[in-house]
């Protein structure tokens, strides 16, 4: 029996083992979601996750370079940046607008096509950053780099949800998002070498550092060939034959001999469409799912302020308050990155066992309390550069899975037709409020030279995380080990 007999089309008639031509107003009954969720973990999933994780490595590299190179950019005889210039929000502004624009396209034309467009934007802009000649050119290229990375966030989080079996979805999403910190470590090591005056002129070093990011991105083009289009997206958008072929190929690679004939799995009936009108998107997010929207927005705003405010200014705190030379900042970022990566790896499985509500509230709450405590110790001068780094390493062991859980929550609790745009919208709002304001605020606070002023900024970040923890505990969806269609029924689903 052909796998194609697992669908039934109307009003067109399909001969056994074939698929007849259909219009976008037709319906299709399929077991594709159940088939994908029933799969064991296989080499296919490992390859896909590796290819997707590279994007977060690139983002980690970009953000770390911007922070670790801040001292060199201030000392540059060409750029001559101030602290406020260093924490300019151009990169984040680009990520916000890129996420919105590419997020809309991701839901409209598919996940796979956007992978190459956004990557091309990232590569070109990163390489161009290395040739910046003043603040305006640097800001423009960082804006475009952010746009490329912002677009990647939406397509990749959607793809993780739609290809990974339900019982692995939580830990996988957290680990992939946590791979950001592998990039951070690469960026830190690169900065250590390239900013060492004994190795090369720091003015040349910071330019080569950005070229490293572009070079790494070239590898991703090849890895992206491993990733198929989402079969779930294809089914709704009138391409059932292609969806079934992709699923059959996945099953052959994961299951010896493919799926057993005659196996029965739950089916869902879908009405196919070319796109989802923006009015329906707005109605879905802000009327039908407004409780979930509150949770998603709260988590995104809190983690964006928490992360961007602290990490974008990490190097400035080390250089201005602890007297660490800019060329040595990378050594302090390495343990910080280790804590951030180990958090999702160690705690990730608990999001699938103890559950989303418990773990999200716990990680957000603990992160906020620890930041307040360490901020107080910083304000009274009780910490050295080394103990400050240890404190942040512990804090972000919990904050890293918390931040990743924000993307997990938004990407799995909304219907498939609006998933990518929902990620983009809440990422954009959260980052615009928390990510753009945070670095700018902390740049101003650090410029005052007052530890108490910086502590006030830490308290604000702590409050946002604790507030998000309470909201998650009250309203978060228990989505662990459930199919996406059970968590959020597709808009195209028919009774």
């Amino acid at each position: 029996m052909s796998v194609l007999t697992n669908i039934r089309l109307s009003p067109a008639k399909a001969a056994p083992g074939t698929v007849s031509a259909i219009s976008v107003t037709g319906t299709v009954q399929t077991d594709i979601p159940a088939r994908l969720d029933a799969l064991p973990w296989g080499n296919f999933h490992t390859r896909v996750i590796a290819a997707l994780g590279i994007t977060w490595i690139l983002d980690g590299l970009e953000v770390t370079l911007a922070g670790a190179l801040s001292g060199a950019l201030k000392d540059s005889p060409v750029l001559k940046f101030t602290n406020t210039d260093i924490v300019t929000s151009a990169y984040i502004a680009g990520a916000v607008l890129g996420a919105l624009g590419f997020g809309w396209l991701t839901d409209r034309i598919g996940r796979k096509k956007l992978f190459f467009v956004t990557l091309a934007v990232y590569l070109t802009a990163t390489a161009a950053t290395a040739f910046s000649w003043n603040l305006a050119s640097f800001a423009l290229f960082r804006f475009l780099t952010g746009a490329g990375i912002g677009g990647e966030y939406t397509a990749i989080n959607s793809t993780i949800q739609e290809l990974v079996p339900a019982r692995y979805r939580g830990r996988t999403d957290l680990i992939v998002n946590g791979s950001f910190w592998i990039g951070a470590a690469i960026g830190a090591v690169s900065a250590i070498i390239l900013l060492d005056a004994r190795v090369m002129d720091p003015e040349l070093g910071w330019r080569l550092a950005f070229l490293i990011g572009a070079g790494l991105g070239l590898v991703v083009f090849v890895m992206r060939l491993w990733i198929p289009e989402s079969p779930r997206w294809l089914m709704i958008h009138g391409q059932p034959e292609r969806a079934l072929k992709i699923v059959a190929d996945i099953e052959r690679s994961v299951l010896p001999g493919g799926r057993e004939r005659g196996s029965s799995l739950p089916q869902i009936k879908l009405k196919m469409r070319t796109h989802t009108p923006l009015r329906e998107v707005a109605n879905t997010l802000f009327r039908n799912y407004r409780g979930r929207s509150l949770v998603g927005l709260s988590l995104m705003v809190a983690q964006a302020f928490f992360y961007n405010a602290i990490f974008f200014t990490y190097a400035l705190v080390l250089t201005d308050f602890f007297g660490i030379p800019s060329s040595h900042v990378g050594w302090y970022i390495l343990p910080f990155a280790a804590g951030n990566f180990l958090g999702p790896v160690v705690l990730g499985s608990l999001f699938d066992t103890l559950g989303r509500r418990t773990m999200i509230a716990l990680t957000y709450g603990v992160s906020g309390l620890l930041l307040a405590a360490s901020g107080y110790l910083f304000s009274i001068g009780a910490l050295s550069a080394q103990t400050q780094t240890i404190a942040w390493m512990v804090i972000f062991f919990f904050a890293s899975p918390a931040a990743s859980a924000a993307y997990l929550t938004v990407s799995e609790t909304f219907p498939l037709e609006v998933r990518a745009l929902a990620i983009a919208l809440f990422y954009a709002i959260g980052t615009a409020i928390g990510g753009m304001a945070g670095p700018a605020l902390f740049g101003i606070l650090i410029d005052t030279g007052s530890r108490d002023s910086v502590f006030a900024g830490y308290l604000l970040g702590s409050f946002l995380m604790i507030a998000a923890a309470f909201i998650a505990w009250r309203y978060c969806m228990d989505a662990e080990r459930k199919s996406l269609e059970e968590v959020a029924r597709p808009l195209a689903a028919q009774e």
Side-chain angles (χ1 to χ4, degrees):
M1 178 184 295
S2 166
V3 294
L4 298 184
T5 58
N6 283 330
I7 69 168
R8 294 199 302 272
L9 305 176
S10 63
K13 295 181 179 180
T18 65
V19 175
S20 64
I22 58 174
S23 69
V24 294
T25 58
T27 60
V28 57
Q29 186 159 316
T30 179
D31 60 2
I32 277 181
R35 287 166 66 178
L36 290 170
D37 283 334
L39 291 172
W41 190 270
N43 289 334
F44 164 79
H45 301 104
T46 301
R47 291 195 304 271
V48 168
I49 296 311
L52 296 180
I54 287 290
T55 295
W56 267 248
I57 292 176
L58 291 175
D59 192 26
L61 176 64
E62 279 297 309
V63 174
T64 305
L65 285 177
L69 298 176
S70 58
L73 294 172
K74 287 168 60 178
D75 296 337
S76 170
V78 176
L79 300 182
K80 300 178 181 178
F81 285 174
T82 65
N83 282 348
T84 304
D85 293 334
I86 292 297
V87 296
T88 179
S89 299
Y91 176 86
I92 298 176
V96 167
L97 295 179
L100 289 172
F102 290 125
W104 176 75
L105 286 173
T106 298
D107 278 332
R108 194 175 184 92
I109 68 175
R111 285 59 167 134
K112 186 176 178 65
K113 291 179 181 177
L114 266 296
F115 285 152
F116 296 99
V117 175
T118 53
L119 186 58
V121 172
Y122 162 80
L123 288 175
T124 303
T126 301
T129 303
F131 301 97
S132 301
W133 58 92
N134 56 24
L135 174 61
S137 62
F138 184 86
L140 173 62
F141 297 142
R142 294 296 291 165
F143 174 87
L144 294 174
T145 300
I149 289 293
E152 294 267 286
Y153 273 63
T154 59
I156 288 177
N157 273 289
S158 299
T159 301
I160 293 172
Q161 307 306 319
E162 293 164 19
L163 288 179
V164 172
R167 61 190 178 281
Y168 302 113
R169 195 169 63 234
R171 71 195 74 179
T172 300
D173 194 274
L174 264 65
I175 291 173
V176 169
N177 280 285
S179 63
F180 172 101
W181 297 101
I182 298 176
I186 295 173
V189 172
S190 300
I192 291 170
I193 297 172
L194 296 173
L195 296 183
D196 189 340
R198 295 169 299 180
V199 176
M200 66 180 66
D201 181 355
E203 177 67 15
L204 175 62
W206 72 260
R207 296 180 186 275
L208 288 178
F210 284 109
L211 288 176
I212 290 175
L216 180 61
L218 291 174
V219 180
V220 184
F221 270 105
V222 177
M223 299 184 71
R224 289 285 168 86
L225 298 175
W226 299 341
I227 305 174
E229 181 57 88
S230 165
R232 284 176 157 107
W233 184 89
L234 290 169
M235 290 301 305
I236 287 180
H237 289 79
Q239 302 181 58
E241 303 95 330
R242 186 179 169 198
L244 288 164
K245 181 181 184 303
I246 289 172
V247 173
D249 289 341
I250 294 173
E251 289 174 338
R252 280 192 293 269
S253 70
V254 174
L255 300 171
R259 184 171 297 283
E260 294 181 10
R261 294 181 178 182
S263 59
S264 178
L265 291 170
Q267 297 193 359
I268 186 171
K269 188 176 182 180
L270 302 169
K271 182 177 181 180
M272 287 175 283
R273 53 173 68 186
T274 57
H275 67 283
T276 302
L278 290 178
R279 178 177 297 179
E280 187 174 3
V281 173
N283 186 62
T284 300
L285 296 179
F286 302 115
R287 182 178 178 181
N288 299 337
Y289 290 94
R290 58 178 173 269
R292 299 183 187 187
S293 295
L294 171 64
V295 173
L297 183 59
S298 301
L299 297 181
M300 282 292 192
V301 169
Q303 68 85 24
F305 184 92
F306 192 87
Y307 256 96
N308 290 303
I310 295 174
F311 190 58
F312 267 67
T313 57
Y314 185 22
L316 297 180
V317 170
L318 291 173
T319 56
D320 288 20
F321 289 98
F322 293 107
I324 302 300
S326 59
S327 59
H328 293 177
V329 167
W331 293 115
Y332 293 86
I333 292 178
L334 284 175
F336 182 81
N340 274 276
F341 181 65
L342 289 174
V345 172
V346 174
L347 302 179
S349 62
L350 298 179
F351 284 77
D352 286 324
T353 53
L354 293 181
R356 310 290 200 255
R357 183 193 305 270
T358 299
M359 289 305 299
I360 291 174
L362 176 66
T363 52
Y364 269 80
V366 170
S367 300
L369 292 173
L370 289 177
L371 178 62
S374 69
Y376 171 73
L377 294 177
F378 168 79
S379 70
I380 63 175
L383 299 176
S384 65
Q386 291 74 26
T387 53
Q388 177 71 78
T389 299
I390 293 172
W392 279 342
M393 182 178 177
V394 174
I395 292 169
F396 284 89
F397 176 86
F398 295 97
S400 182
S404 296
Y407 293 97
L408 170 66
T409 299
V410 172
S411 58
E412 72 180 354
T413 56
F414 293 99
L416 182 145
E417 296 90 335
V418 302
R419 178 166 295 123
L421 190 53
I423 298 169
L425 182 62
F426 291 112
Y427 167 80
I429 296 174
T431 302
I433 296 174
M436 295 178 68
L441 172 63
F442 269 74
I444 295 171
L445 296 177
I446 291 171
D447 270 340
T448 67
S450 168
R451 288 175 178 261
D452 289 337
S453 295
V454 177
F455 176 42
Y458 289 150
L459 285 179
L460 176 57
S462 174
F463 169 78
L464 291 174
M465 292 295 281
I466 294 172
F470 279 110
I471 292 173
W473 180 255
R474 175 65 179 83
Y475 297 106
C476 190
M477 175 74 178
D478 296 317
E480 59 273 7
R481 301 184 301 278
K482 295 179 181 178
S483 71
L484 294 175
E485 290 70 25
E486 182 182 357
V487 175
R489 189 172 176 82
L491 301 179
Q494 304 291 295
E495 296 298 335

